[in-house]
Amino acid sequence: MTKVRFAPSPTGKLHVGNVRTAIFNYLFARKAGGTFVLRIDDTDVERSTQAFEDGIRADLTWLGISWDETFKQSDRFDRYEAAAEALKAKGLLYPCYETGEDLDRKRRLQMANGRPPVYDRAALDLSDAEKAAFEAEGRKPHWRFKLSGNPVQWDDMVRGPVSIETSSLSDPILIREDGSFLYTLPSVLDDIESEITHIIRGEDHTTNSGAQIEIFEALGGKAPMFGHQALLVGADGGKLSKRTGSLGIADLRDVEGLEPMAIMSLLARIGTSDPVEAFADVEGILEGFDLGKLSRSPARFDDEELKRVNAKLLHAMPYAVAQPKLAALGADKGEAVWEAVRPNLETLADAKAWAVLIDGPVTPVIEEADYAEAAAQHLPAGELDGASWSAWTNALKEATGRKGKQLFMPLRLMLTGEARGPEMAVLLPLIGRDKVLKRLAGEAA
């Protein structure tokens, strides 16, 4: 069975970059009828917080991304220790005593001599006496995994055939001097023991995958299939700006007021051969989802496009779907009001502002008192309805000789105080006769 995972670190908030990886994994699992695992990578105990973890879970839930299994790496340190000991016993995990300054000096010297800055494996030549001397000085070793030096190849689900020459890589550090684990060993062991079948992540992990495949094999596991999607860039093709690149999902929800399906719709489609559409539900995205449609070129993220997708969603949203959202905002004024205002919405919060036009108080903008008086005189008698606007404006046209913008714009300004907004034919009966007359008289109502 297909099984994938999304593995965020609770050291910060979810943002458009890493949530796109979550979306791809979630859609891949659902399309295959497989299992989606949420793994919390909290081995960095100093920076990981419960607040960030709770935020990650809340953001994913809001987006509509549910998980079938979940666990935290901090509950599995004993398993990582056992795996490390197994690698040491095989001679594949070896201690190194160079300081950060030592390694930096080596790298600078290699580059000055035109050589790639690859670790020289000097630690493999240390005698027991030399190791003991370092220990006596108070040095603690960091531990590196010994790569084979052979090419590692796989058929990437996005990039096609990939070959990584491990001879061109430094042996990766798996354990720091303080005994804490870096990302690689816990991740590989978790993937083995969770029986992950596919790993979908950013292309910045492609080289890492070459080394990790060897660790999979060293631990007796089978490497999953890999898919490395191109990373996000800004709308102009440059690096994502700080505002968009680091903008958290919580900010898109709470500050920008965007709909979860707008975010899902955009991030699932940019960088693919399919056009961006505004999907009302995940099922619509799933229908055409295929990793094979992902381009090798970077995906362009445009926050203005995100806003346009959000507006399209709202313009097509039925009242039954909008009602609980409106109620939460204190902006539920019934289906008739929703139908009137939704074509003008960019975010759902805008509905509250438009509802004020109906309930008031609205301060009218009256630039021509004579026209306001004429408008009041020619307002159709009785209860206003869907035909009242047409009857009213036709009567005013005949009485004043006005037409076009000169006829309609002053009426809108007098009744709403705004130069644009919902269709007046729909809005007029919702405002009601009493408030219409008060506003035409210049009163805030």
Side-chain angles (χ1 to χ4, degrees), residues 155-200:
D155 189 15
D156 196 276
M157 293 183 287
V158 177
R159 302 171 66 83
V162 175
S163 180
I164 300 295
E165 295 290 337
T166 62
S167 59
S168 67
L169 306 179
S170 293
D171 290 340
I173 299 172
L174 302 190
I175 306 175
R176 300 182 182 91
E177 289 85 348
D178 62 3
S180 63
F181 291 95
L182 280 86
Y183 166 84
T184 308
L185 180 58
S187 179
V188 169
L189 186 67
D190 288 343
D191 288 335
I192 292 172
E193 297 190 346
S194 297
E195 299 181 323
I196 298 300
T197 61
H198 300 75
I199 294 177
I200 305 164

Side-chain angles (χ1 to χ4, degrees), residues 362-376 389 392-393 396-397 400-421 424 427-428 431 435-442:
V362 166
T363 301
V365 176
I366 298 179
E367 297 174 343
E368 300 170 81
D370 290 347
Y371 189 39
E373 186 177 342
W389 175 256
W392 189 27
T393 52
L396 280 170
K397 181 179 180 180
T400 65
R402 290 173 179 250
K403 59 184 178 179
K405 189 174 181 181
Q406 286 187 323
L407 173 67
F408 298 112
M409 182 58 73
L411 292 176
R412 178 178 287 280
L413 289 171
M414 287 187 281
L415 295 183
T416 70
E418 303 286 346
R420 54 171 290 277
M424 290 303 298
L427 201 57
L428 185 67
I431 295 172
K435 285 199 286 283
V436 167
L437 288 172
K438 286 180 180 180
R439 293 177 191 180
L440 291 175

Side-chain angles (χ1 to χ4, degrees), residues 188-229:
V188 169
L189 186 67
D190 288 343
D191 288 335
I192 292 172
E193 297 190 346
S194 297
E195 299 181 323
I196 298 300
T197 61
H198 300 75
I199 294 177
I200 305 164
R201 56 188 179 183
E203 65 180 5
D204 52 330
H205 287 284
T206 305
T207 300
N208 300 339
S209 294
Q212 289 169 19
I213 287 173
E214 291 203 345
I215 300 174
F216 271 102
E217 295 169 351
L219 291 174
K222 180 183 177 183
M225 292 185 66
F226 287 91
H228 294 89
Q229 82 262 15

Side-chain angles (χ1 to χ4, degrees), residues 2 20 23 131 150 161 213 231 244 268 301 315 351 359 401 411 434:
T2 297
R20 183 167 175 255
I23 290 171
K131 294 177 186 177
N150 299 321
I213 287 173
L231 302 181
T244 54
F301 176 81
H315 298 169
D359 291 346
L411 292 176
D434 288 345

Side-chain angles (χ1 to χ4, degrees), residues 264-283:
M264 292 282 284
S265 296
L266 182 71
L267 292 180
R269 280 291 182 86
I270 54 175
T272 77
S273 55
D274 290 329
V276 172
E277 298 179 56
F279 291 100
D281 51 47
V282 171
E283 285 67 30

